[in-house]
Amino acid sequence: METIGVVGLGTMGLGIAQVYASAGFVVIATDAHVPARETARTRMAEALDARVSAGKLTKEARDATLANLQIVESVQGFAPCTLVIEAIVERLDAKQSLFAALEAVLAPTAILATNTSSIPVAQIAAPASHPDRILALHFFNPPTAMKLVELAPHAGTSATTITRARALTEAAGKTVIQCPDRPGFIVNRCARPFYGEALALLQEGHSATEIDAAMLARGYRLGPFALIDLIGADINLAATEGLSVAMQNHPRYHVFPALKAQVASGKLGRKSAEGFIFPAKVTPAPNPAIAQRIEATLINEAAWLLHEGGTDAQGIDTAMKLGLNFPLGPFEILTHYGKPAVRATLQALAAKAPDALRPRYAPAPYLTE
Ligand SMILES: NC(=O)c1ccc[n+]([C@@H]2O[C@H](COP(=O)([O-])OP(=O)(O)OC[C@H]3O[C@@H](n4cnc5c(N)ncnc54)[C@H](O)[C@@H]3O)[C@@H](O)[C@H]2O)c1
């Protein structure tokens, strides 16, 4: 068994450490913050105890997982690791200096993975001595429950690094989907129209409950507004704005004023006890035209990502189903509608869109082939 390193023992890092430790890997972990190191074992024990109480884990498996965890004071103790995953603060300079410190300690063949959500992997790797062994392994929250890991190499990542990082993470029970080093990877990017087109409809006068009802009728577990209420409108706005900037403010990532107004009103969703629809239940009769419009833009975004390369339709479908609990992936939905119908929907949207938003509906080349 190889030894896995984890740096950062917050929300993501502790869960990532548990994922590999549960699979039988020795995990060496650290955090710059002393209390995070001191409480890590107890926090993991509590998470495992909850599973034992629920009858989902044996006491032996719990003990074995905890026995695999070694908390050390600094990355000086990481020499035996062949794969190190960082889940520290989302800052380029912090991630670059951490990787420099790790390069001084690790064997030259050891893999360095970042769990970044928004920093280009190429930028993190740029100052490294061996950038070929750097890539992103992007876990979802909570890492213990979410099956999906997006693997994003940068242009200089070696094939061996990709193969080994995939094998180790699959051995820890995850479904690994490769994607390009592009903003939002697959899920955080291809999810944007689910919210964005719903917000466009809201601004045009449809109600949030009507929009959600349309998506529930298509098999989605939550409608766009119920999902925003669950995540928090502020978190959703930050993700939307971040992606918009990273994509040069292209209208496909337009930040709709309705979302900004919602955040300004303080009705952030469950956490503030009131949101777009929370705590109401969705009751209106579903309008299939609403679902068709939102799904056309979901398909188009996925088709643009496909056009950019570095992933495939099946990978995007799997990532969207595992990362967002969608009933079907965008290319599976495309099979249902057919390219001509999706093109017609996009064309009709473009025809009535204000000038600034018209490029939002330009069809990706895949839809016109
Ligand atoms: N929270 C999410 O839903 C989520 C999902 C996917 C990816 N991510 C990414 O994962 C990373 C971590 O996010 P999080 O939500 O776990 O953050 P967090 O704030 O919960 O935890 C970060 C931990 O890293 C420690 N830390 C900060 N700088 C450090 C350094 N230089 N060396 C060692 N330890 C350091 C902090 O003390 C803290 O315990 C970020 O890059 C984030 O973008 C987060």
Side-chain angles (χ1 to χ4, degrees), residues 7-14 16 30-34 36 43 75 86-91 94-95 97-98 114-119 138-142 188:
V7 188
L9 287 163
T11 307
M12 297 304 291
L14 190 71
I16 294 168
T30 194
D31 192 292
H33 192 50
V34 177
R43 285 182 286 139
V75 296
E86 72 76 17
I88 67 165
V89 62
E90 185 74 338
R91 261 195 10 237
K95 292 188 190 291
S97 32
L98 171 63
T114 173
N115 188 46
T116 183
S117 302
S118 59
I119 305 171
H138 185 240
F139 288 74
F140 289 75
N141 190 10
N188 288 339

CSV table of all heavy atoms in Angstrom, one decimal, residues 7-14 16 30-34 36 43 75 86-91 94-95 97-98 114-119 138-142 188, ligand 1:
chain,number,residue,atom,x,y,z
A,7,VAL,N,-2.8,17.8,3.1
A,7,VAL,CA,-2.4,19.0,3.8
A,7,VAL,C,-3.7,19.9,3.9
A,7,VAL,O,-4.3,20.2,2.9
A,7,VAL,CB,-1.3,19.8,3.1
A,7,VAL,CG1,-0.9,21.0,4.0
A,7,VAL,CG2,-0.2,18.9,2.8
A,8,GLY,N,-4.0,20.3,5.1
A,8,GLY,CA,-5.3,21.1,5.3
A,8,GLY,C,-6.3,20.1,5.9
A,8,GLY,O,-6.7,19.2,5.2
A,9,LEU,N,-6.7,20.4,7.2
A,9,LEU,CA,-7.6,19.4,7.8
A,9,LEU,C,-8.9,20.2,8.1
A,9,LEU,O,-9.5,20.0,9.2
A,9,LEU,CB,-7.0,18.8,9.1
A,9,LEU,CG,-5.9,17.8,8.7
A,9,LEU,CD1,-5.0,17.5,9.9
A,9,LEU,CD2,-6.6,16.5,8.2
A,10,GLY,N,-9.4,20.9,7.2
A,10,GLY,CA,-10.7,21.6,7.3
A,10,GLY,C,-11.8,20.7,6.7
A,10,GLY,O,-11.7,19.5,6.7
A,11,THR,N,-12.9,21.4,6.2
A,11,THR,CA,-14.0,20.7,5.6
A,11,THR,C,-13.6,19.6,4.6
A,11,THR,O,-14.0,18.4,4.7
A,11,THR,CB,-14.9,21.7,4.9
A,11,THR,OG1,-15.2,22.8,5.8
A,11,THR,CG2,-16.2,21.1,4.4
A,12,MET,N,-12.8,19.9,3.7
A,12,MET,CA,-12.4,19.0,2.6
A,12,MET,C,-11.3,18.1,3.0
A,12,MET,O,-11.4,16.9,2.8
A,12,MET,CB,-12.0,19.8,1.3
A,12,MET,CG,-13.2,20.6,0.7
A,12,MET,SD,-14.7,19.7,0.4
A,12,MET,CE,-14.2,18.7,-1.0
A,13,GLY,N,-10.2,18.6,3.6
A,13,GLY,CA,-9.1,17.8,3.9
A,13,GLY,C,-9.3,16.6,4.8
A,13,GLY,O,-8.9,15.5,4.5
A,14,LEU,N,-10.1,16.9,5.9
A,14,LEU,CA,-10.4,15.8,6.8
A,14,LEU,C,-11.2,14.7,6.1
A,14,LEU,O,-10.9,13.5,6.3
A,14,LEU,CB,-11.1,16.3,8.0
A,14,LEU,CG,-11.3,15.3,9.2
A,14,LEU,CD1,-9.9,15.1,9.8
A,14,LEU,CD2,-12.3,15.7,10.2
A,16,ILE,N,-11.2,14.0,2.9
A,16,ILE,CA,-10.3,13.3,1.9
A,16,ILE,C,-9.4,12.3,2.6
A,16,ILE,O,-9.2,11.2,2.2
A,16,ILE,CB,-9.5,14.4,1.1
A,16,ILE,CG1,-10.4,15.2,0.2
A,16,ILE,CG2,-8.4,13.7,0.2
A,16,ILE,CD1,-9.8,16.5,-0.4
A,30,THR,N,-1.5,16.9,7.8
A,30,THR,CA,-1.2,18.1,8.7
A,30,THR,C,-2.0,19.3,8.4
A,30,THR,O,-2.8,19.3,7.4
A,30,THR,CB,0.3,18.4,8.5
A,30,THR,OG1,0.7,19.3,9.6
A,30,THR,CG2,0.7,19.1,7.2
A,31,ASP,N,-1.9,20.3,9.2
A,31,ASP,CA,-2.6,21.6,9.0
A,31,ASP,C,-1.7,22.6,9.7
A,31,ASP,O,-1.1,22.4,10.7
A,31,ASP,CB,-4.0,21.5,9.7
A,31,ASP,CG,-4.9,22.7,9.3
A,31,ASP,OD1,-4.6,23.8,9.6
A,31,ASP,OD2,-5.9,22.4,8.6
A,32,ALA,N,-1.7,23.9,9.1
A,32,ALA,CA,-0.9,24.9,9.7
A,32,ALA,C,-1.4,25.4,11.1
A,32,ALA,O,-0.7,26.0,11.9
A,32,ALA,CB,-0.8,26.1,8.7
A,33,HIS,N,-2.7,25.1,11.3
A,33,HIS,CA,-3.4,25.6,12.5
A,33,HIS,C,-3.4,24.5,13.5
A,33,HIS,O,-3.9,23.4,13.3
A,33,HIS,CB,-4.9,25.9,12.0
A,33,HIS,CG,-5.7,26.7,12.9
A,33,HIS,ND1,-5.3,27.9,13.5
A,33,HIS,CD2,-6.9,26.5,13.4
A,33,HIS,CE1,-6.2,28.3,14.3
A,33,HIS,NE2,-7.3,27.5,14.2
A,34,VAL,N,-2.8,24.8,14.7
A,34,VAL,CA,-2.6,23.8,15.7
A,34,VAL,C,-3.9,23.1,16.1
A,34,VAL,O,-4.0,21.9,16.1
A,34,VAL,CB,-1.8,24.3,17.0
A,34,VAL,CG1,-1.7,23.3,18.0
A,34,VAL,CG2,-0.5,24.8,16.6
A,36,ALA,N,-6.6,22.6,14.5
A,36,ALA,CA,-7.1,21.7,13.4
A,36,ALA,C,-6.3,20.4,13.5
A,36,ALA,O,-7.0,19.3,13.3
A,36,ALA,CB,-6.9,22.4,12.1
A,43,ARG,N,-12.4,14.5,15.4
A,43,ARG,CA,-13.4,14.8,14.4
A,43,ARG,C,-13.7,13.6,13.4
A,43,ARG,O,-14.8,13.3,13.1
A,43,ARG,CB,-13.0,16.1,13.6
A,43,ARG,CG,-13.2,17.4,14.4
A,43,ARG,CD,-12.9,18.6,13.6
A,43,ARG,NE,-11.4,18.7,13.4
A,43,ARG,CZ,-10.9,19.1,12.2
A,43,ARG,NH1,-11.7,19.4,11.2
A,43,ARG,NH2,-9.6,19.3,12.1
A,75,VAL,N,4.9,19.4,7.0
A,75,VAL,CA,5.1,18.6,5.8
A,75,VAL,C,6.5,17.9,5.8
A,75,VAL,O,6.8,17.1,5.0
A,75,VAL,CB,4.9,19.3,4.5
A,75,VAL,CG1,3.5,19.8,4.3
A,75,VAL,CG2,5.9,20.5,4.3
A,86,GLU,N,-3.5,18.6,-1.5
A,86,GLU,CA,-3.6,19.8,-0.7
A,86,GLU,C,-5.1,20.3,-0.7
A,86,GLU,O,-5.7,20.3,-1.7
A,86,GLU,CB,-2.6,20.9,-1.1
A,86,GLU,CG,-2.9,21.6,-2.4
A,86,GLU,CD,-4.0,22.7,-2.3
A,86,GLU,OE1,-4.4,23.1,-1.2
A,86,GLU,OE2,-4.5,23.1,-3.4
A,87,ALA,N,-5.6,20.6,0.5
A,87,ALA,CA,-6.9,21.2,0.7
A,87,ALA,C,-6.8,22.4,1.6
A,87,ALA,O,-7.5,22.4,2.7
A,87,ALA,CB,-7.9,20.1,1.2
A,88,ILE,N,-5.9,23.3,1.3
A,88,ILE,CA,-5.6,24.4,2.2
A,88,ILE,C,-6.4,25.6,1.6
A,88,ILE,O,-7.2,25.5,0.7
A,88,ILE,CB,-4.1,24.8,2.3
A,88,ILE,CG1,-3.5,25.2,1.0
A,88,ILE,CG2,-3.4,23.5,2.9
A,88,ILE,CD1,-2.2,25.9,1.1
A,89,VAL,N,-6.1,26.8,2.2
A,89,VAL,CA,-6.8,28.0,1.8
A,89,VAL,C,-6.7,28.2,0.2
A,89,VAL,O,-5.7,27.9,-0.4
A,89,VAL,CB,-6.2,29.2,2.5
A,89,VAL,CG1,-4.7,29.4,2.2
A,89,VAL,CG2,-7.0,30.5,2.3
A,90,GLU,N,-7.8,28.8,-0.4
A,90,GLU,CA,-7.9,28.9,-1.8
A,90,GLU,C,-7.1,30.2,-2.2
A,90,GLU,O,-7.7,31.2,-2.6
A,90,GLU,CB,-9.4,29.0,-2.2
A,90,GLU,CG,-9.7,29.1,-3.7
A,90,GLU,CD,-9.5,27.8,-4.5
A,90,GLU,OE1,-8.7,26.9,-4.0
A,90,GLU,OE2,-10.0,27.6,-5.6
A,91,ARG,N,-5.8,30.1,-2.1
A,91,ARG,CA,-4.9,31.3,-2.5
A,91,ARG,C,-3.7,30.7,-3.3
A,91,ARG,O,-3.0,29.8,-2.8
A,91,ARG,CB,-4.4,32.0,-1.3
A,91,ARG,CG,-5.2,33.2,-0.9
A,91,ARG,CD,-4.6,34.2,0.1
A,91,ARG,NE,-3.2,33.8,0.4
A,91,ARG,CZ,-2.7,33.6,1.6
A,91,ARG,NH1,-3.5,33.6,2.6
A,91,ARG,NH2,-1.4,33.3,1.8
A,94,ALA,N,-0.3,30.7,-1.5
A,94,ALA,CA,-0.2,29.7,-0.4
A,94,ALA,C,0.0,28.3,-1.0
A,94,ALA,O,0.8,27.5,-0.6
A,94,ALA,CB,-1.5,29.7,0.4
A,95,LYS,N,-0.7,28.0,-2.1
A,95,LYS,CA,-0.6,26.7,-2.7
A,95,LYS,C,0.7,26.5,-3.4
A,95,LYS,O,1.4,25.4,-3.3
A,95,LYS,CB,-1.8,26.5,-3.7
A,95,LYS,CG,-3.1,26.4,-3.0
A,95,LYS,CD,-4.3,26.0,-4.0
A,95,LYS,CE,-5.7,26.1,-3.4
A,95,LYS,NZ,-6.1,25.2,-2.3
A,97,SER,N,3.6,28.0,-2.5
A,97,SER,CA,4.7,27.8,-1.5
A,97,SER,C,4.5,26.4,-0.8
A,97,SER,O,5.6,25.8,-0.5
A,97,SER,CB,4.8,28.9,-0.5
A,97,SER,OG,3.6,29.5,-0.2
A,98,LEU,N,3.3,26.0,-0.6
A,98,LEU,CA,3.2,24.6,0.0
A,98,LEU,C,3.8,23.6,-1.0
A,98,LEU,O,4.5,22.7,-0.5
A,98,LEU,CB,1.7,24.3,0.2
A,98,LEU,CG,1.4,22.9,0.6
A,98,LEU,CD1,2.0,22.5,1.9
A,98,LEU,CD2,-0.1,22.6,0.6
A,114,THR,N,-3.8,19.2,-6.3
A,114,THR,CA,-4.5,20.3,-5.6
A,114,THR,C,-6.0,20.0,-5.7
A,114,THR,O,-6.5,19.5,-6.6
A,114,THR,CB,-4.2,21.7,-6.3
A,114,THR,OG1,-5.1,22.7,-5.7
A,114,THR,CG2,-4.4,21.6,-7.8
A,115,ASN,N,-6.7,20.4,-4.6
A,115,ASN,CA,-8.2,20.3,-4.6
A,115,ASN,C,-8.8,21.7,-4.9
A,115,ASN,O,-10.0,21.9,-4.6
A,115,ASN,CB,-8.6,19.9,-3.2
A,115,ASN,CG,-10.1,19.5,-3.1
A,115,ASN,OD1,-10.6,18.8,-4.0
A,115,ASN,ND2,-10.8,20.0,-2.1
A,116,THR,N,-8.1,22.5,-5.6
A,116,THR,CA,-8.6,23.9,-5.9
A,116,THR,C,-9.9,23.8,-6.6
A,116,THR,O,-10.1,22.9,-7.4
A,116,THR,CB,-7.6,24.7,-6.7
A,116,THR,OG1,-8.2,26.0,-6.9
A,116,THR,CG2,-7.3,24.1,-8.1
A,117,SER,N,-10.8,24.8,-6.4
A,117,SER,CA,-12.0,24.9,-7.1
A,117,SER,C,-11.9,25.9,-8.2
A,117,SER,O,-12.7,25.9,-9.2
A,117,SER,CB,-13.2,25.3,-6.2
A,117,SER,OG,-13.3,24.4,-5.1
A,118,SER,N,-11.0,26.9,-8.1
A,118,SER,CA,-11.1,28.0,-9.0
A,118,SER,C,-9.7,28.5,-9.5
A,118,SER,O,-9.7,29.4,-10.3
A,118,SER,CB,-11.8,29.2,-8.3
A,118,SER,OG,-11.1,29.5,-7.1
A,119,ILE,N,-8.6,28.0,-9.0
A,119,ILE,CA,-7.3,28.5,-9.5
A,119,ILE,C,-6.8,27.6,-10.6
A,119,ILE,O,-6.8,26.3,-10.4
A,119,ILE,CB,-6.3,28.5,-8.3
A,119,ILE,CG1,-6.8,29.3,-7.1
A,119,ILE,CG2,-5.0,29.1,-8.8
A,119,ILE,CD1,-6.0,29.2,-5.9
A,138,HIS,N,-10.1,17.1,-7.8
A,138,HIS,CA,-11.2,17.9,-7.2
A,138,HIS,C,-12.3,17.1,-6.6
A,138,HIS,O,-13.1,16.5,-7.4
A,138,HIS,CB,-11.7,18.9,-8.3
A,138,HIS,CG,-12.7,19.9,-7.8
A,138,HIS,ND1,-14.0,20.0,-8.3
A,138,HIS,CD2,-12.6,20.8,-6.8
A,138,HIS,CE1,-14.6,20.9,-7.6
A,138,HIS,NE2,-13.8,21.5,-6.7
A,139,PHE,N,-12.3,17.0,-5.3
A,139,PHE,CA,-13.3,16.3,-4.6
A,139,PHE,C,-14.6,17.2,-4.4
A,139,PHE,O,-14.5,18.4,-4.4
A,139,PHE,CB,-12.8,15.8,-3.2
A,139,PHE,CG,-11.8,14.7,-3.3
A,139,PHE,CD1,-10.5,15.0,-3.7
A,139,PHE,CD2,-12.1,13.4,-2.9
A,139,PHE,CE1,-9.5,14.0,-3.8
A,139,PHE,CE2,-11.1,12.4,-3.0
A,139,PHE,CZ,-9.9,12.7,-3.5
A,140,PHE,N,-15.7,16.6,-4.0
A,140,PHE,CA,-16.9,17.3,-3.8
A,140,PHE,C,-17.3,17.1,-2.3
A,140,PHE,O,-16.8,16.2,-1.6
A,140,PHE,CB,-18.1,16.8,-4.7
A,140,PHE,CG,-17.8,17.2,-6.1
A,140,PHE,CD1,-16.8,16.6,-6.9
A,140,PHE,CD2,-18.5,18.3,-6.6
A,140,PHE,CE1,-16.6,17.1,-8.2
A,140,PHE,CE2,-18.2,18.8,-7.9
A,140,PHE,CZ,-17.3,18.2,-8.7
A,141,ASN,N,-18.0,18.1,-1.8
A,141,ASN,CA,-18.4,18.2,-0.4
A,141,ASN,C,-19.7,17.5,-0.1
A,141,ASN,O,-20.7,17.8,-0.7
A,141,ASN,CB,-18.5,19.7,0.0
A,141,ASN,CG,-18.6,19.9,1.4
A,141,ASN,OD1,-18.4,19.0,2.2
A,141,ASN,ND2,-18.9,21.1,1.8
A,142,PRO,N,-19.7,16.5,0.8
A,142,PRO,CA,-18.6,16.0,1.7
A,142,PRO,C,-17.9,14.9,0.9
A,142,PRO,O,-18.5,14.0,0.3
A,142,PRO,CB,-19.4,15.4,2.9
A,142,PRO,CG,-20.7,15.1,2.4
A,142,PRO,CD,-21.1,16.0,1.3
A,188,ASN,N,-19.0,22.4,-11.8
A,188,ASN,CA,-19.3,23.8,-11.4
A,188,ASN,C,-19.5,24.7,-12.6
A,188,ASN,O,-20.2,25.7,-12.5
A,188,ASN,CB,-18.1,24.4,-10.5
A,188,ASN,CG,-18.2,23.7,-9.2
A,188,ASN,OD1,-19.2,23.2,-8.7
A,188,ASN,ND2,-17.0,23.7,-8.5
B,1,LIG,N1,-15.7,23.5,0.8
B,1,LIG,C1,-16.0,23.0,-0.4
B,1,LIG,O1,-17.2,22.7,-0.7
B,1,LIG,C2,-15.0,22.7,-1.4
B,1,LIG,C3,-15.3,21.8,-2.5
B,1,LIG,C4,-14.3,21.5,-3.4
B,1,LIG,C5,-13.0,22.1,-3.3
B,1,LIG,N2,-12.8,23.0,-2.2
B,1,LIG,C6,-11.4,23.6,-2.1
B,1,LIG,O2,-10.7,22.8,-1.1
B,1,LIG,C7,-9.7,23.7,-0.4
B,1,LIG,C8,-10.0,23.7,1.0
B,1,LIG,O3,-11.4,24.1,1.3
B,1,LIG,P1,-12.1,23.9,2.7
B,1,LIG,O4,-13.5,24.2,2.4
B,1,LIG,O5,-11.8,22.5,3.2
B,1,LIG,O6,-11.4,25.0,3.6
B,1,LIG,P2,-11.3,25.1,5.2
B,1,LIG,O7,-11.2,26.5,5.5
B,1,LIG,O8,-12.5,24.3,5.8
B,1,LIG,O9,-10.0,24.3,5.5
B,1,LIG,C9,-8.7,24.7,5.1
B,1,LIG,C10,-7.7,24.2,6.1
B,1,LIG,O10,-6.4,24.5,5.6
B,1,LIG,C11,-5.6,25.0,6.7
B,1,LIG,N3,-4.5,25.8,6.0
B,1,LIG,C12,-4.7,27.0,5.4
B,1,LIG,N4,-3.5,27.4,4.9
B,1,LIG,C13,-2.6,26.4,5.2
B,1,LIG,C14,-1.3,26.1,4.8
B,1,LIG,N5,-0.5,27.1,4.1
B,1,LIG,N6,-0.7,25.0,5.2
B,1,LIG,C15,-1.4,24.1,5.9
B,1,LIG,N7,-2.7,24.2,6.3
B,1,LIG,C16,-3.3,25.4,5.9
B,1,LIG,C17,-6.6,25.8,7.5
B,1,LIG,O11,-6.0,26.0,8.9
B,1,LIG,C18,-7.8,25.0,7.5
B,1,LIG,O12,-7.9,24.0,8.5
B,1,LIG,C19,-9.9,25.0,-1.2
B,1,LIG,O13,-8.9,25.1,-2.2
B,1,LIG,C20,-11.3,25.0,-1.7
B,1,LIG,O14,-11.4,25.9,-2.8
B,1,LIG,C21,-13.7,23.3,-1.3
